[in-house]
Amino acid sequence: MPTPAQHHRVSPGSRVDLGAIDPARTPGLSGDGDAERARAEGELREHTQRIAAMQERLYAEGSRAMLVVLQGMDCSGKDGVIRHVFGPVNPQGCRVVSFKRPSDEELSHDFLWRVHARVPRRGEIGVFNRSHYEDVLIVRVHGTIDDREARSRIDRIARFEEHLAASGTTVLKFFLHISKGEQRSRLLDRLREPDKRWKWNDGDLAERKSWDRYMRAYEDAIAGTSLAHAPWHVIPADKKWYRNWAVASIVREALDAMDPKPPRMDLDPDSVRIE
């Protein structure tokens, strides 16, 4: 059976049609009933334990890193993935960065300047909650840059990620693909549930009106930057439990492939005396 990575990876040189992908599907599982959900949640616990253990080995090895990029429309679950997939990882070796509106200082440099300063150090797993891709998405949708500049930036992003890979950073990118109907439901939850109301942002409604333009911008960005050394994965995200399971499966598979090894120490434990 194909792995989640094989199901969701966008092949280099191909163009994804987001409209043709059902955000509620659950490939890699035999269905989406209670039994499969219980299985996925059980495997998620196994995956996160393995991710935590492999991150410790990566930290001890100290020569490579992993960068996980999370993108998606509002309410697609970026925070949920961070909490459920990376929550068990030792905070000393996992750094989460959220990219907000650029400051004046950041705007005075090229658009990748602030990003390069936040990539993970050797031994770390870095997680970008939104990322450098915002500079070919929101600014394009709102007309701050034109299509020509967007294509130029996409090319520069591809070269930037090639540089990261050549420097020993494994790059994994996830587009959390939520349906417009599911987003509406989650936005209403933010209004109805007092504990979630702090998440409400009137701007989310304005961005929702540009849904189709965002989908086209995402398709262009994914097509131009899903490369062997930095693949994109389109993750159906209407079912939160499936989203978490799929992302954790792919991260675990990538860490297992990296197979980090702590440095060997030629030390005889019996020769050490601790008073």
Side-chain angles (χ1 to χ4, degrees):
M1 177 180 292
T3 66
Q6 292 167 331
H7 275 297
H8 300 305
R9 184 184 294 121
V10 178
S11 300
S14 65
R15 184 176 182 84
V16 66
D17 179 1
L18 294 175
I21 298 174
D22 180 2
R25 68 187 187 129
T26 57
L29 299 175
S30 60
D32 59 2
D34 291 343
E36 285 303 282
R37 175 172 180 167
R39 171 196 157 190
E41 290 175 343
E43 290 183 1
L44 173 63
R45 289 189 290 271
E46 295 175 6
H47 292 331
T48 56
Q49 290 170 4
R50 178 65 172 174
I51 290 169
M54 294 298 282
Q55 183 280 323
E56 185 174 354
R57 288 172 53 179
L58 184 70
Y59 189 86
E61 181 189 70
S63 61
R64 293 177 292 169
M66 172 178 280
L67 173 62
V68 175
V69 173
L70 299 175
Q71 289 285 157
M73 297 295 286
D74 297 312
C75 300
S76 60
K78 297 177 288 294
D79 291 342
V81 166
I82 292 168
R83 183 168 62 254
H84 290 285
V85 177
F86 299 100
V89 176
N90 189 329
Q92 291 185 101
C94 183
R95 188 159 51 120
V96 178
V97 180
S98 296
F99 288 95
K100 307 295 185 181
R101 183 187 298 273
S103 66
D104 290 342
E105 169 71 8
E106 290 166 344
L107 287 171
S108 69
H109 295 80
D110 71 274
F111 77 97
L112 286 171
W113 178 79
R114 67 172 180 159
V115 179
H116 206 158
R118 308 303 294 275
V119 298
R121 296 184 286 264
R122 291 184 177 91
E124 284 187 338
I125 295 176
V127 183
F128 283 0
N129 182 349
R130 299 190 188 273
S131 66
H132 41 300
Y133 283 92
E134 293 300 303
D135 289 294
V136 294
L137 294 167
I138 188 169
V139 291
R140 186 179 189 185
V141 168
H142 288 282
T144 306
I145 63 172
D146 59 19
D147 291 349
R148 180 178 179 181
E149 175 62 17
R151 288 191 294 270
S152 174
R153 290 187 177 193
I154 288 170
D155 289 342
R156 280 178 274 168
I157 287 173
R159 293 196 295 272
F160 169 65
E161 292 174 350
E162 182 179 12
H163 167 71
L164 292 181
S167 301
T169 299
T170 294
V171 182
L172 297 175
K173 298 174 293 189
F174 298 94
F175 173 66
L176 307 182
H177 185 31
I178 190 176
S179 67
K180 198 172 184 180
E182 179 63 18
Q183 188 202 53
R184 180 180 184 275
S185 176
R186 295 183 189 179
L187 285 171
L188 288 173
D189 285 344
R190 292 181 178 181
L191 283 176
R192 292 168 177 161
E193 299 182 29
D195 289 345
K196 293 184 177 181
R197 205 165 290 160
W198 64 272
K199 296 182 179 181
W200 178 260
N201 184 342
D202 289 341
D204 293 345
L205 297 182
E207 297 305 314
R208 181 176 165 84
K209 293 177 181 178
S210 300
W211 188 278
D212 291 341
R213 291 199 293 276
Y214 270 108
M215 293 302 104
R216 290 193 294 272
Y218 267 112
E219 288 172 355
D220 287 347
I222 291 170
T225 60
S226 192
L227 304 171
H229 56 265
W232 273 102
H233 302 83
V234 177
I235 306 296
D238 275 11
K239 293 180 173 61
K240 298 177 182 179
W241 57 267
Y242 179 81
R243 174 202 70 203
N244 297 336
W245 173 81
V247 173
S249 299
I250 294 167
V251 172
R252 175 182 179 170
E253 181 180 333
L255 283 166
D256 283 342
M258 290 175 72
D259 191 23
K261 292 182 169 53
R264 293 188 59 182
M265 296 185 66
D266 295 324
L267 179 67
D268 179 7
D270 294 331
S271 68
V272 178
R273 296 185 62 186
I274 301 177
E275 299 295 339

